[in-house]
Amino acid sequence: MGLVNLNNLVKEYQDSGRAKFTAVKGINLEIEQGEFMILVGPSGCGKSTTLRMIAGLENVTSGTIEIDGRVVNSVAPKDRDIAMVFQNYALYPHMSVFDNMAFGLKLQKFPRGEIRNRVHEAAEILGLESMLERKPKQMSGGQRQRVALGRAIVRKPKVFLFDEPLSNLDAKMRVQMRTEISRLHSRLQATMIYVTHDQVEAMTMGDRICVMKEGEIMQVDDPISLYQHPNNIFTAGFIGSPPMNFFSGKIEKEGNRFSFVEENMSAAPFRLSLDDRLTALARNFSGRKIMMGVRPEDIGLRRQASGCEVDAEVMVVEPMGSETYLYFNTGRHDFIGRFPSENHHRIGERARVVMDIDKIHLFDADTMKKVS
Ligand SMILES: Nc1ncnc2c1ncn2[C@@H]1O[C@H](COP(=O)(O)OP(=O)(O)O)[C@@H](O)[C@H]1O
Ligand SMILES: [Mg+2]
């Protein structure tokens, strides 16, 4: 039993016209005490709606939300023991940093000494002690977001909810705040639910990641498992940058051997003879359409005994400094490989590319699910 449980949670929005739109389609999720859970997915997939239902800012259409063993569907937001941090800080411009942080506690009639202690404790954690008398407009975006965090911390809530809190910050500040929030999580041992569309944020911050698409959960797992064992094409393509490469094709059987044959009308399709692992996966797919996935780092340029060779044209060379991305085309599929910085490939030249057969993923092209 998690600290926060979502059970068959549904949200329908009724448009002003007659159309009904289901933004969240019956999701189930358990968030453990002390866990940092990330909800990630493209814009419009229902992340904020889910978080706002947990916060009580949005009515639930059906299903239940439990916090610490209690169904809170009809409990007012202020009585749910949660604190939410938004993208746009939502600070009171005319109040000092101290008063912004103290505001919620004052409303709840906390004793003045207790308020002072909690604000100073939060300010110390966030490095804001010297700024308690400032107004928000005298602070940078990163400092303002820290005040918004402080306002949540002083409440000592059961659950922290974050909705894309770093989106308004510049890239450098975002990276810095990312580590600060992670550190905050381990220092407070707090339960946090964090919404982002950014898969790098998800990977670097989450204990577990819940990948969403169009109101449904695609997969919930820890970052490395999600990366190494995606259950479906969506998760495989969403987590990782540059993303996993996909090749459509079919499985052919010749005697006892199975091969993956690329679908390619404009050039000679590449063939990959399957090893024992892939044969076991694909033997029921003979003659059927399949998607092969391989990550950019599992592609090489040297011959390897266990590799699958593909003849491809170099389309783009992208030096990143620490490594170089090469963009290839087989005549049908574009794909990306990550290579050491020193390589001598030129645009327009042909290359023998080797894919690590141990790292190849197979997906059912009809169901989009991992073949297992
Ligand atoms: N108040 C609303 N009325 C109607 N549709 C809404 C409302 N809020 C959100 N939606 C729709 O619900 C879907 C999910 O929205 P949201 O939860 O904000 O997505 P995300 O946070 O993942 O970007 C979107 O298609 C959005 O347009
Ligand atoms: Mg959102």
Side-chain angles (χ1 to χ4, degrees), residues 265-314:
M265 311 279 261
S266 54
F270 72 81
R271 302 175 77 87
L272 156 66
S273 347
L274 304 189
D275 62 357
D276 291 347
R277 176 183 76 93
L278 294 175
T279 298
L281 292 175
R283 55 168 60 257
N284 295 328
F285 275 78
S286 190
R288 282 168 60 192
K289 291 213 312 189
I290 207 160
M291 255 331 186
M292 182 182 116
V294 62
R295 294 216 179 266
E297 63 270 31
D298 298 327
I299 289 176
L301 289 167
R302 263 171 299 129
R303 283 166 186 274
Q304 291 165 356
S306 67
C308 146
E309 280 193 37
V310 177
D311 183 45
E313 184 181 342
V314 179

Side-chain angles (χ1 to χ4, degrees), residues 19-53:
K20 237 192 250 167
F21 177 75
T22 311
V24 177
K25 301 174 180 164
I27 61 172
N28 292 286
L29 186 63
E30 280 191 14
I31 297 134
E32 304 297 332
Q33 167 78 51
E35 189 167 38
F36 200 139
M37 173 66 84
I38 307 263
L39 307 184
V40 72
S43 179
C45 72
K47 307 177 295 291
S48 294
T49 300
T50 303
L51 202 72
R52 291 170 60 79
M53 283 193 283

Side-chain angles (χ1 to χ4, degrees), residues 5-11 24 26-28 53 59-66 71-74:
N5 296 312
L6 312 182
N7 308 305
N8 297 314
L9 195 62
V10 175
K11 177 65 186 182
V24 177
I27 61 172
N28 292 286
M53 283 193 283
N59 287 328
V60 170
T61 304
S62 69
T64 56
I65 298 167
E66 284 170 68
V71 174
V72 296
N73 286 37
S74 48

Side-chain angles (χ1 to χ4, degrees), residues 81-123:
D81 211 351
I82 48 112
M84 187 145 168
V85 180
F86 299 92
Q87 175 180 339
N88 59 3
Y89 325 133
L91 300 178
Y92 296 105
H94 59 283
M95 286 187 195
S96 68
V97 168
F98 184 98
D99 288 335
N100 263 290
M101 291 213 265
F103 188 71
L105 299 180
K106 277 185 187 156
L107 279 187
Q108 290 180 56
K109 308 256 186 302
F110 271 71
R112 281 177 60 171
E114 176 69 12
I115 293 177
R116 206 175 324 114
N117 288 344
R118 287 198 187 191
V119 171
H120 280 285
E121 190 187 6

